[in-house]
Amino acid sequence: MRSALFYLAFLALGVAGTLFMARLGGAVEIRVGELEIAVPFALALLLLAFGFLAVHLLLRGIAAIRDWPARHRARRDAKRRIDGDAAVTRALVALAAGTPDLARLEVRRAREKLGDTPQTLILTAEAERLAGREEAASEAFQALASRPDSRFLGLRGLLRQAIQREDWPTAQRLAREAEATQPGAAWLRQERETLALRTRDWREALALAAPGTAQAPLALAAAAQEPEAARAADLERQAFQTDPGFAPAALAHARRLREAGSPRRARQVLEDGWKARPHPDLAEACVGAETDPLQRVKAAEHLVESNPKHPESHLLVGRLAVEAGLTGRARQELEALINSGLADRRAFLALSDLEEAEGGDTPATRAAQARWLRLAATAAPEPRWRCSACGTDQAVWSPVCPQCQSVGTIGWTTPQQLALSGE
Ligand SMILES: [Zn+2]
């Protein structure tokens, strides 16, 4: 509107100017040799204006013809981009729908239109993987990895492939390269942890594991791998401090302290372990060195002091009291255990022993023993180390199940857990 008004005013001015010039009169003379042309001034002005206009239009026309190829290219590129983007979308839909042939077709179209961009390359790789063509996917990932802007994407894909074909050395090398490209990526951390567990690199697994009690078995496993005694001792202490209830760690830490000449601190570690989660091995480490039956009872009483109501505490003191001939004390502990409803086979066997210690070899004793033995046969089994993956029992804890090679599956299983699992 504004420019229309402007043109109108400009036109009015022009017409007024021309009329003014026409009334004013005057002429423009052009003389060439003998030839002489006289043009009225107003007409000369008009011709001049038309001349300018003609030259302007001519130049515009030439510029338009000169720029035509570039404009044509731009239009063609824009169309290719639109077609390429549409093919990318269709390829994504095909990938999501799990139709590899269609995905590969659309990806090929997208690549024709858009060329080898990170987007088309990753789509190529995914489509090839979906079609089960790992070699072709690998090529696409290699191409991605060779570009600085998509290096991490390429390495990520190659790493996933290496893990899938269980090529651990390659996987570890790729993980290191990816870490250098994108330090601290959360996904990579997870993958490196998995790799460390697979390759039994416990120290690396420990460094990558989330803080918590899950670190204790890793630290203990790393200690067993550590050739240097001081560092192994550090790792054992770390394992114990992370989870005092993890008996193998408490035992290893206590053993190391005893060897270093600190029996009092070793005993404290065993007591702390018992307080957190009683375990028969802790009792063995604590009273095993004592040979005098009464001293053994005393050592056990000291060990269970902070956790006296636990079934393992009752059982330990009860059994040792039987051995020491302290039958009253033994009966008190073992009956408390039976009454708690948490007794397992070992408690009934100990009561059978107690009958013999109390009454000697008499028919009444034998009858009482037979009763306890019958109960023992139907009682819950004693706790044990068991692999949760293959269900086999293990004599000792170990980070890898020797039966099924699963990592971190061996745990201490109590009678209650065994009852739940149907034994
Ligand atoms: Zn197993």
Side-chain angles (χ1 to χ4, degrees):
M1 184 69 195
R2 216 147 159 201
S3 59
L5 281 175
F6 175 76
Y7 280 122
L8 214 60
F10 185 72
L11 207 65
L13 264 177
V15 170
T18 312
L19 287 175
F20 174 71
M21 291 292 180
R23 185 164 319 154
L24 205 63
V28 174
E29 281 186 21
I30 299 166
R31 190 178 296 149
V32 183
E34 291 298 301
L35 194 68
E36 201 176 279
I37 303 169
V39 183
F41 182 62
L43 185 61
L45 267 186
L46 212 60
L47 283 175
L48 204 62
F50 274 118
F52 270 122
L53 194 66
V55 169
H56 174 71
L57 287 178
L58 186 70
L59 290 178
R60 283 277 300 265
I62 290 169
I65 290 167
R66 195 191 54 207
D67 293 345
W68 183 81
R71 274 208 315 282
H72 176 70
R73 254 201 319 276
R75 260 203 309 276
R76 200 187 52 203
D77 287 352
K79 183 164 167 16
R80 285 178 82 89
R81 231 180 356 261
I82 290 168
D83 289 349
D85 286 345
V88 164
T89 307
R90 286 195 301 272
L92 282 170
V93 171
L95 279 175
T99 47
D101 292 340
L102 186 60
R104 285 183 62 222
L105 179 73
E106 293 298 349
V107 167
R108 208 160 43 239
R109 280 185 188 149
R111 245 174 124 173
E112 272 166 21
K113 300 284 182 193
L114 302 175
D116 283 353
T117 65
Q119 288 90 335
T120 56
L121 284 171
I122 191 110
L123 280 175
T124 304
E126 292 302 333
E128 298 292 5
R129 287 202 80 190
L130 190 64
R133 295 157 50 95
E134 292 292 333
E135 285 278 302
S138 206
E139 272 171 34
F141 285 134
Q142 297 277 11
L144 273 170
S146 64
R147 296 168 59 111
D149 58 345
S150 60
R151 184 162 170 71
F152 183 73
L153 274 176
L155 291 173
R156 183 185 193 274
L158 292 170
L159 174 58
R160 261 166 55 193
Q161 285 188 310
I163 289 174
Q164 203 164 43
R165 60 173 190 271
E166 304 197 346
D167 178 357
W168 307 121
T170 306
Q172 272 186 319
R173 176 179 58 76
L174 288 165
R176 271 196 297 276
E177 281 180 39
E179 177 73 31
T181 311
Q182 194 94 10
W187 164 83
L188 194 57
R189 196 185 168 84
Q190 184 71 46
E191 289 301 311
R192 284 176 62 208
E193 194 180 338
T194 311
L195 273 177
L197 292 176
R198 288 294 187 101
T199 52
R200 321 288 193 240
D201 185 348
W202 306 125
R203 194 174 254 286
E204 166 100 338
L206 174 65
L208 292 165
T213 52
Q215 282 188 335
L218 292 174
L220 187 61
Q225 268 180 350
E226 182 58 59
E228 206 178 303
R231 283 164 67 172
D234 276 348
L235 285 164
E236 283 163 0
R237 194 187 55 242
Q238 186 187 342
F240 170 69
Q241 284 170 348
T242 308
D243 184 7
F246 181 51
L251 286 168
H253 185 38
R255 193 183 312 121
R256 189 79 66 173
L257 286 171
R258 223 178 5 250
E259 283 167 9
S262 311
R264 198 187 293 255
R265 282 175 63 201
R267 184 172 292 269
Q268 186 61 49
V269 165
L270 295 175
E271 284 170 15
D272 289 348
W274 193 274
K275 186 179 175 185
R277 201 179 312 139
H279 189 287
D281 292 352
L282 296 174
E284 182 53 35
C286 195
V287 303
E290 290 288 351
T291 46
D292 176 50
L294 282 174
Q295 287 301 319
R296 282 163 70 85
V297 175
K298 223 174 217 165
E301 281 175 337
H302 197 69
L303 176 68
V304 308
E305 214 166 53
S306 56
N307 200 355
K309 300 257 182 277
H310 194 278
E312 288 292 337
S313 300
H314 285 309
L315 184 68
L316 176 66
V317 177
R319 281 165 120 184
L320 291 176
V322 174
E323 283 172 20
L326 304 172
T327 50
R329 179 92 175 89
R331 188 166 289 280
Q332 178 197 341
E333 292 290 338
L334 293 173
E335 282 184 351
L337 175 53
I338 301 284
N339 292 338
S340 73
L342 296 170
D344 60 49
R345 198 173 291 150
R346 295 170 298 168
F348 297 97
L349 293 175
L351 274 159
S352 164
D353 292 345
L354 175 61
E355 296 295 345
E356 196 179 342
E358 259 182 348
D361 190 11
T362 65
T365 301
R366 279 198 294 277
Q369 275 187 304
R371 191 165 61 87
W372 289 125
L373 290 175
R374 268 198 309 279
L375 285 169
T378 53
E382 59 218 59
R384 64 204 55 190
W385 293 111
R386 170 170 285 197
C387 170
S388 61
C390 65
T392 54
D393 291 343
Q394 304 296 333
V396 290
W397 175 84
S398 110
V400 182
C401 171
Q403 203 74 31
C404 69
Q405 307 300 316
S406 300
V407 173
T409 50
I410 296 182
W412 186 244
T413 318
T414 59
Q416 290 75 27
Q417 288 165 323
L418 286 172
L420 281 178
S421 67
E423 184 160 316

